[in-house]
Amino acid sequence: MASRSRRPEHSGPPELFYDQNEARKYVRNSRMIDIQTKMTERALELLCLPENQPCYLLDIGCGSGLSGDYISEEGHYWVGIDISPAMLDAALDRDTEGDLLLGDMGQGVPFRPGSFDGCISISAVQWLCNANKKSDVPAKRLYRFFSSLYSALVRGARAVLQLYPENSEQLELITTQATRAGFTGGVVVDFPNSAKAKKFYLCLFSGPSTFLPKGLTESQDAEQATESTFTSERAPRRTARRGLVKKSREWVLEKKERRRRQGKDVRPDTQYTGRKRRPRF
């Protein structure tokens, strides 16, 4: 489990911890951006979304929109909800493509039944296990969150929530409330023998139970590395996109093609597409 020391949720409410200084880190710190992107990539793999079909996803604790950027790169639509105004301001400044909502997931997700094809969350759910005021009861807040999330998902859809549980008791509290809300599934642990790379993913199913993917390990061979068949064909395209320089012609053309796949109205490509223009004075 995660160490007890230096846990952000022990320092106070998330809307106060994630202030402008913290939001700036999620925009400028290349290491944090890389970690967030990799965890989002893994979460989307575990969602098992259909190939070549845009989906409508919910991002719980969307923060500055880093996860949303990756979702958009994969050709999906998304809505993000976060309790921190500073983080959402950072997302707006970055001109993210998803819709943003200020809200407390412990009060439930305010969407109509069957609105989303899937849900991801990166490093957010463990915040519900802490009571910052007398009226906060972790078990009740978790149940309210999971029950509203269950309702907001299309039947048969998945939710993949990456989290940092403080101990086994906290993880049991979270999974118990998810089960009470109607979810099936389990916990996937990547790199269980690594102190730094170990990651927990709570994989929840809003329909009949299905197979639970195996966690990644440092020593697995190529066959084990693609234990979920839905990941093997997508990896080359992800690697190629990572090599594109932002605002370059290739980056602009790829983004326009992605929007065409989403059914959006996009201007035709010309010899001037992506060309750098001289500054105006």
Side-chain angles (χ1 to χ4, degrees):
M1 298 295 175
S3 171
R4 289 179 177 271
S5 61
R6 295 180 287 115
R7 293 186 64 90
E9 59 267 27
H10 289 173
S11 62
E15 62 270 28
L16 297 182
F17 176 81
Y18 290 105
D19 55 13
Q20 292 183 351
N21 291 331
E22 284 294 318
R24 196 175 298 115
K25 295 178 184 178
Y26 282 84
V27 175
R28 300 179 180 178
N29 190 310
S30 59
R31 180 177 177 274
M32 295 180 72
I33 294 173
D34 182 62
I35 293 175
Q36 187 87 1
T37 301
K38 288 180 178 179
M39 290 192 294
T40 304
E41 178 180 1
R42 177 61 170 154
L44 284 186
E45 290 176 353
L46 295 172
L47 270 186
C48 193
L49 297 173
E51 290 282 352
N52 302 318
Q53 178 180 328
C55 295
Y56 195 45
L57 304 179
L58 176 61
D59 183 4
I60 301 291
C62 62
S64 61
L66 295 177
S67 298
D69 287 347
Y70 189 84
I71 293 174
S72 296
E73 288 180 5
E74 291 298 292
H76 304 297
Y77 301 99
W78 61 279
V79 174
I81 181 172
D82 200 280
I83 197 173
S84 167
M87 294 293 275
L88 293 178
D89 286 342
L92 290 173
D93 291 340
R94 297 178 59 253
D95 195 24
T96 55
E97 296 184 12
D99 296 320
L100 303 174
L101 176 68
L102 178 65
D104 177 8
M105 60 180 173
Q107 297 296 327
V109 292
F111 299 102
R112 294 180 178 179
S115 295
F116 298 98
D117 302 310
C119 170
I120 69 166
S121 177
I122 306 298
S123 310
V125 177
Q126 70 271 4
W127 284 89
L128 294 179
C129 297
N130 292 270
N132 295 301
K133 49 187 177 181
K134 291 184 178 180
S135 59
D136 286 349
V137 180
K140 290 184 178 180
R141 284 171 57 79
L142 282 164
Y143 178 73
R144 190 180 299 118
F145 164 65
F146 283 121
S147 59
S148 60
L149 176 60
Y150 185 90
S151 174
L153 293 175
V154 173
R155 291 290 74 82
R158 295 187 179 192
V160 177
L161 315 176
Q162 185 276 328
L163 68 159
Y164 292 104
E166 185 173 0
N167 47 50
S168 58
E169 290 78 13
Q170 191 176 93
L171 184 59
E172 183 178 359
L173 171 65
I174 295 171
T175 55
T176 297
Q177 299 307 316
T179 303
R180 281 189 60 205
F183 283 109
T184 58
V187 178
V188 174
V189 183
D190 284 353
F191 311 112
N193 299 320
S194 172
K196 292 185 177 180
K198 187 176 183 179
K199 296 291 184 296
F200 292 82
Y201 295 87
L202 180 60
C203 298
L204 302 175
F205 312 134
S206 63
S209 298
T210 182
F211 75 95
L212 189 67
K214 296 180 180 178
L216 302 178
T217 62
E218 295 94 336
S219 59
Q220 63 189 167
D221 56 27
E223 181 178 358
Q224 290 174 313
T226 56
E227 77 279 355
S228 302
T229 57
F230 51 83
T231 66
S232 57
E233 296 181 0
R234 299 171 71 97
R237 294 200 293 273
R238 289 172 182 153
T239 304
R241 271 197 293 271
R242 283 201 195 116
L244 297 179
V245 178
K246 193 169 185 179
K247 303 298 182 181
S248 66
R249 176 178 171 82
E250 292 76 14
W251 183 88
V252 172
L253 290 173
E254 195 279 334
K255 185 174 182 179
K256 292 177 70 175
E257 181 60 29
R258 184 173 71 246
R259 293 195 173 188
R260 291 190 184 102
R261 293 197 303 267
Q262 295 174 345
K264 296 182 178 180
D265 186 19
V266 180
R267 291 184 178 181
D269 300 333
T270 69
Q271 60 179 327
Y272 303 108
T273 300
R275 188 180 69 170
K276 293 184 178 180
R277 291 170 172 77
R278 294 179 181 179
R280 294 180 180 180
F281 296 97

